[in-house]
Amino acid sequence: MNWYWIDRFTLFESGKRAKAIKTITRAEGHLRDHFRFHPVAPASLIIEGLAQTAGLMFNEATNFEKKIVLGKIPELRFYQTEIVPGDVLEYTAIAEYVKEEGSMAEVSVRRGEELVAEGVLVFAHLGSQFKSKQQFADGDLQDLVRAYGMYDVGVDANGEPLKDPALNV
């Protein structure tokens, strides 16, 4: 993953919902090109933040055993797309379903009280033909969710704190 479009989780309920924040900074390389004297975060990367929030929620819900990719965006509406350095975005993903072949989430992003975008994302859980294809280097996905604070704020279906599998060795 080249684009880290969440900074940390603020809420994480296994298989149900997740909230994450992203602070837009001038230090992000793509903002130098989009646009030079008026940097604006592109809508495509805001979608990426929504996809990362929901995708990681679904990865954890399936015990990180599935290869999960954004499959389609059947519905997504932007109300405000001029997101600039200094803005803090809050991504919310609410699971509609998690099935063997895929999952779906209602998503939204806010800047403070202002609704920036809302919609639905559908994820594909890739089949056995992709078993040998590596999405992340060994341990990288677990390190990523650890860095995002999933185990700091996360709870399982019973409301118990999520357990970091690395600590159960």
Side-chain angles (χ1 to χ4, degrees):
M1 189 180 315
N2 293 328
W3 299 103
Y4 299 107
W5 268 83
I6 65 175
D7 293 330
R8 67 180 162 85
F9 285 104
T10 58
L11 179 135
F12 195 94
E13 294 178 19
S14 183
K16 293 181 182 175
R17 65 185 179 138
K19 288 188 178 193
I21 59 169
K22 169 67 177 165
T23 301
I24 309 302
T25 70
R26 205 172 279 282
E28 295 171 75
H30 61 276
L31 289 181
R32 285 188 286 280
D33 299 325
H34 201 273
F35 296 96
R36 186 169 174 207
F37 295 110
H38 183 72
V40 176
S44 59
L45 292 181
I46 295 168
I47 294 169
E48 179 65 23
L50 289 167
Q52 287 179 14
T53 301
L56 290 170
M57 175 181 66
F58 292 135
N59 265 282
E60 189 280 332
T62 60
N63 296 314
F64 300 96
E65 294 172 359
K66 303 280 184 188
K67 288 189 165 73
I68 296 176
V69 297
L70 179 61
K72 68 178 181 175
I73 304 170
E75 178 185 334
L76 190 64
R77 180 174 180 178
F78 276 87
Y79 301 102
Q80 169 56 267
T81 56
E82 191 159 295
I83 303 300
V84 298
D87 286 343
V88 178
L89 302 179
E90 180 183 58
Y91 297 109
T92 301
I94 300 171
E96 288 295 309
Y97 64 78
V98 180
K99 297 180 180 178
E100 182 66 23
E101 67 281 353
S103 46
M104 184 171 83
E106 286 189 20
V107 296
S108 65
V109 59
R110 292 183 175 279
R111 174 177 51 196
E113 295 298 315
E114 178 186 13
L115 182 61
V116 174
E118 63 183 339
V120 175
L121 301 180
V122 177
F123 293 81
H125 300 186
L126 302 181
S128 59
Q129 68 271 33
F130 295 95
K131 190 172 185 130
S132 64
K133 305 288 184 197
Q134 195 169 15
Q135 285 180 297
F136 296 91
D138 289 340
D140 279 1
L141 182 56
Q142 286 294 327
D143 287 346
L144 184 64
V145 298
R146 217 172 274 116
Y148 284 165
M150 178 188 289
Y151 299 114
D152 298 331
V153 300
V155 296
D156 66 17
N158 299 319
E160 297 294 321
L162 287 180
K163 293 183 176 37
D164 185 338
L167 301 178
N168 294 334
V169 281

